[in-house]
Amino acid sequence: MKHFLLLTILSFLCCNNAERNIDAPKDYSKIHAEALAFCQKENFNEEYYFLVDLSVHSGKNRFFIYDFGTKKNLDKNLVTHGSCDQFEENPEKWEKVKFDHRVDSHCSMKGKYKIGNRDYSSWGINVKYWLHGLETTNKNAEKRVVVLHSWNAVKNKEVFPKYSPLSWGCPAVSNEFMEKLDIRLKQSKKPVLLWIVE
């Protein structure tokens, strides 16, 4: 009987630890450190930056506003990824992100972006910010008009296990979250870094 109880307790503890590991937050410390070094070198905003992790399920929060000073996320929310189905079939487009910088690919593009000028958008709250790709992986952002904007179809809270809608490559967020981003970006005297990773 003692052995049975011991086995029961051990199996319970192991199962609980496994569940905790699944939900354990990812370690972005190296990315944050590289982002700060980049912002310091390139004269970008050194208070915060935007990190988008497209390896995270689209129904979960994966757009983060990270504060360099407190070393904490100030906010987080959902964000879309591209359908990437123009040049080839992409049956896993909801579950897994594919990347391609080609014009008309409708794919997401990873890498660092400089958030540029505020402009009118026909989507969401009618505000968009131009994105200037700083790497070979996102060099066609302007040609493709891949911009930061909001979209009525994007929810303002996690929808997991459901998915967020697909975009044509733009990191689109909810209207409510875009209003928060817009306030920050209008107040920033230096360019803000947006970094899309997987």
Side-chain angles (χ1 to χ4, degrees):
M1 186 67 180
K2 289 180 181 177
H3 292 295
F4 176 76
L5 285 172
L6 184 61
L7 285 171
T8 304
I9 292 168
L10 283 173
S11 63
F12 177 76
L13 290 172
C14 290
C15 290
N16 278 351
N17 285 337
E19 285 177 13
R20 282 194 202 111
N21 288 339
I22 290 170
D23 293 331
K26 291 179 73 171
D27 182 8
Y28 296 112
S29 55
K30 288 182 181 177
I31 292 173
H32 295 327
E34 185 179 333
L36 178 57
F38 176 88
C39 290
Q40 291 170 337
K41 180 182 177 184
E42 301 298 330
N43 199 29
F44 276 45
N45 188 312
E46 296 173 32
E47 295 176 14
Y48 64 88
Y49 84 111
F50 300 156
L51 174 64
V52 174
D53 182 357
L54 294 185
S55 71
V56 176
H57 188 286
S58 72
K60 292 185 175 184
N61 294 328
R62 55 184 187 168
F63 189 123
F64 307 97
I65 304 173
Y66 181 78
D67 185 277
F68 289 124
T70 62
K71 297 184 178 180
K72 292 181 180 178
N73 289 323
L74 299 173
D75 209 343
K76 57 187 177 180
N77 217 286
L78 301 177
V79 63
T80 62
H81 66 256
S83 59
C84 203
D85 55 6
Q86 293 304 291
F87 298 134
E88 59 184 329
E89 292 293 320
N90 187 10
E92 294 182 332
K93 58 190 173 186
W94 297 95
E95 296 89 5
K96 189 174 181 182
V97 183
K98 287 179 72 174
F99 298 93
D100 194 325
H101 65 79
R102 288 179 291 174
V103 175
D104 297 327
S105 68
H106 295 177
C107 300
S108 293
M109 295 180 291
K110 58 187 169 182
K112 297 182 185 76
Y113 295 83
K114 173 185 174 182
I115 299 180
N117 290 336
R118 186 178 191 268
D119 207 344
Y120 174 82
S121 171
S122 56
W123 298 85
I125 64 168
N126 303 127
V127 171
K128 71 182 176 192
Y129 282 86
W130 288 93
L131 296 177
H132 306 284
L134 303 175
E135 302 182 62
T136 56
T137 53
N138 59 13
K139 63 184 180 182
N140 287 330
E142 291 169 80
K143 287 182 184 176
R144 289 183 52 191
V145 195
V146 169
V147 296
L148 175 61
H149 68 88
S150 66
W151 183 13
N152 298 349
V154 182
K155 302 299 182 188
N156 195 45
K157 60 182 181 180
E158 292 187 329
V159 296
F160 180 84
K162 294 181 180 178
Y163 299 96
S164 290
L166 296 169
S167 71
W168 282 5
C170 292
V173 298
S174 71
N175 291 335
E176 295 86 349
F177 195 57
M178 189 66 198
E179 287 172 352
K180 294 180 181 180
L181 299 181
D182 189 35
I183 290 170
R184 286 187 173 279
L185 292 169
K186 284 192 294 185
Q187 292 175 346
S188 182
K189 294 178 181 177
K190 292 183 178 182
V192 173
L193 172 66
L194 168 69
W195 193 357
I196 296 179
V197 300
E198 66 169 327

